[in-house]
Amino acid sequence: MSDATSRLDVLLVEDNPGDAKLVDHHLDRAGATHVVDDVSLTKLESLGAIKDVETEGYDALLLDLGLPESTGLETLDRATDMVSELPIIVLTGMQDRRKSMEAIERGAQDYLPKSGLDGDRLVRALRYAVVRSRQQRTLQRRRDQMEFFNSILQHDMLNGMNVIRARGELLADTLDGDDREYAETIVDWSDDIIDLTEKVRSVLKTLSEDGMSEMQQRDLGVVLDAAADRARSKSPAATVNNHVTDIEVAAGKLLEDVFGNLLLNAVEHGGEDVTIDVTATVGDVFVTVVIADDGPGIPPARRRQVFDRGQKGSGSSGTGFGLYFVDSMVESYGGNIWIEESDDGGAAFHVELPRTE
């Protein structure tokens, strides 16, 4: 396959000799050479002729929808089945916006009316179609890789850790003294690793699938109450005030973990007797939750960095995964998260989520 930035090898399926000649003329225009250095065109008069061509050697397919074997979008469907890896640009004699959108939805990279077509527009469409197609294939490979790693976490890591945890629990029930304490430590660490593995799997799933597919209506007050209870259990001296009730947002099933991580982070970094206030404002499109504490705060230069993968505070014993997980999940819900200074000089995490009617 040629380099899309310097040369394009194009397959044209067009049964009208005049239209085929016009396409060839457009591609020969000197004005198009600033987009690519050279375009090579191979002409076919029917879909059946594609079977006799080594399509792996081409970068794109220009397809007329009116052919002897079929007409309309059926032609596109048949061509897609025959050259699934080749980006297709539809050429048509009609200007039909509805049909053009349907063609894109059914796999075409572009939809170009023959009237008004020129060399510059055609070559640009070809180049961009090739680039987009390669990007889509790269993304699909990455999705496949993430799904593979996700399956390893599920079938090997999680299953193994659950066995270890069960054995540790059994030992803790039958042992005494230091031995019992050692067994309980095994159970505690198993719980931590299982929880972390589940979160990693959730992020992998979000990145490899449509992150909005599991969106549902969530009661924000209930979610925040549960997260506040988790934070209080971590540090009994901490004060967590949740002022949010009767607000619905659109989010996934891991919203509890999102706010649980944020409140646990506030407890861990705010000091033993930290006070945390949770409030929310409802806008036309979004609900903004603010988690504000009276701890030492976060310097402005670090407020975006704390969400990066592997970032953690100097006194933290964690993996640096928590806030990266939070940021990834909020983004997958179509929301946003940022940090400001609280009224008490601490940190104020702002979480913006889509509201529901």
Side-chain angles (χ1 to χ4, degrees):
M1 183 175 288
S2 60
D3 181 351
T5 61
S6 59
R7 174 185 169 86
L8 290 176
D9 290 309
V10 180
L11 198 59
L12 169 66
V13 181
E14 170 63 77
D15 66 327
N16 185 314
D19 287 345
K21 185 175 181 180
L22 186 62
V23 170
D24 201 0
H25 169 72
H26 286 322
L27 294 179
D28 278 341
R29 287 189 62 233
T33 58
H34 67 284
V35 180
V36 293
D37 295 333
D38 185 37
V39 181
S40 173
L41 185 68
T42 300
K43 305 170 199 171
L44 303 176
E45 294 184 357
S46 68
L47 282 176
I50 294 178
K51 298 176 182 178
D52 301 323
V53 176
E54 294 291 336
T55 57
E56 293 83 0
Y58 290 88
D59 295 300
L61 171 66
L62 291 172
L63 178 67
D64 177 42
L65 291 183
L67 296 173
E69 306 99 321
S70 62
T71 59
L73 293 177
E74 178 191 349
T75 305
L76 172 61
D77 293 338
R78 294 183 60 183
T80 301
D81 290 339
M82 297 174 72
V83 290
S84 58
E85 295 297 314
L86 206 59
I88 299 175
I89 295 177
V90 169
L91 297 178
T92 176
M94 299 181 296
Q95 294 196 16
D96 187 332
R97 179 173 177 79
R98 183 189 60 79
K99 184 169 287 189
S100 69
M101 294 301 297
E102 189 174 351
I104 299 297
E105 291 171 358
R106 290 164 78 157
Q109 288 286 342
D110 211 337
Y111 185 97
L112 300 178
K114 294 177 183 178
S115 60
L117 193 63
D118 58 42
D120 186 69
R121 184 182 180 191
L122 182 56
V123 173
R124 285 180 183 275
L126 282 166
R127 185 188 184 282
Y128 295 152
V130 171
V131 171
R132 284 195 301 268
S133 178
R134 289 179 174 175
Q135 289 173 338
Q136 289 168 355
R137 289 199 297 272
T138 299
L139 286 173
Q140 185 58 52
R141 283 196 297 270
R142 289 177 180 173
R143 290 190 187 101
D144 293 341
Q145 291 167 348
M146 286 188 285
E147 288 174 3
F148 170 71
F149 290 127
N150 207 344
S151 69
I152 290 178
L153 288 175
Q154 170 65 41
H155 298 294
D156 297 325
M157 184 89 172
L158 272 179
N159 290 347
M161 287 309 305
N162 280 314
V163 170
I164 292 171
R165 187 191 185 284
R167 298 298 186 270
E169 222 173 19
L170 181 62
L171 289 172
D173 290 339
T174 58
L175 297 174
D176 297 312
D178 289 344
D179 291 339
R180 180 185 180 89
E181 185 178 340
Y182 298 151
E184 289 174 344
T185 300
I186 292 174
V187 174
D188 291 341
W189 273 99
S190 297
D191 286 338
D192 289 344
I193 294 172
I194 290 170
D195 180 62
L196 178 60
T197 304
E198 288 284 11
K199 289 175 182 175
V200 172
R201 289 188 65 240
S202 298
V203 172
L204 285 174
K205 185 177 181 181
T206 298
L207 295 175
S208 62
E209 298 180 356
D210 179 0
M212 304 296 286
S213 61
E214 296 183 0
M215 296 280 281
Q216 52 191 267
Q217 185 170 297
R218 304 302 310 275
D219 187 322
L220 198 53
V222 173
V223 169
L224 289 168
D225 279 340
D229 287 341
R230 289 172 59 183
R232 296 186 191 103
S233 68
K234 178 74 173 180
S235 178
T239 300
V240 184
N241 302 312
N242 176 30
H243 305 282
V244 180
T245 58
D246 300 326
I247 297 176
E248 304 286 344
V249 295
K253 63 183 180 180
L254 290 174
L255 189 61
E256 288 89 347
D257 288 305
V258 168
F259 285 112
N261 271 277
L262 287 173
L263 287 170
L264 288 173
N265 179 79
V267 167
E268 182 177 352
H269 297 287
E272 290 185 1
D273 59 348
V274 66
T275 297
I276 305 166
D277 286 295
V278 185
T279 58
T281 56
V282 180
D284 292 336
V285 179
F286 292 99
V287 173
T288 303
V289 179
V290 179
I291 298 174
D293 64 59
D294 60 356
I298 300 173
R302 275 189 51 77
R303 289 175 185 170
R304 186 59 240 174
Q305 295 175 1
V306 299
F307 297 108
D308 292 342
R309 183 176 57 189
Q311 289 290 321
K312 57 182 180 178
S314 57
S316 173
S317 59
T319 61
F321 177 77
L323 292 181
Y324 175 69
F325 163 79
V326 167
D327 187 45
S328 299
M329 298 310 298
V330 170
E331 182 180 10
S332 78
Y333 299 152
N336 193 18
I337 184 170
W338 68 94
I339 303 171
E340 297 179 5
E341 183 177 325
S342 73
D343 292 339
D344 295 316
F349 283 76
H350 293 244
V351 183
E352 192 176 68
L353 295 168
R355 62 169 295 188
T356 57
E357 296 299 332

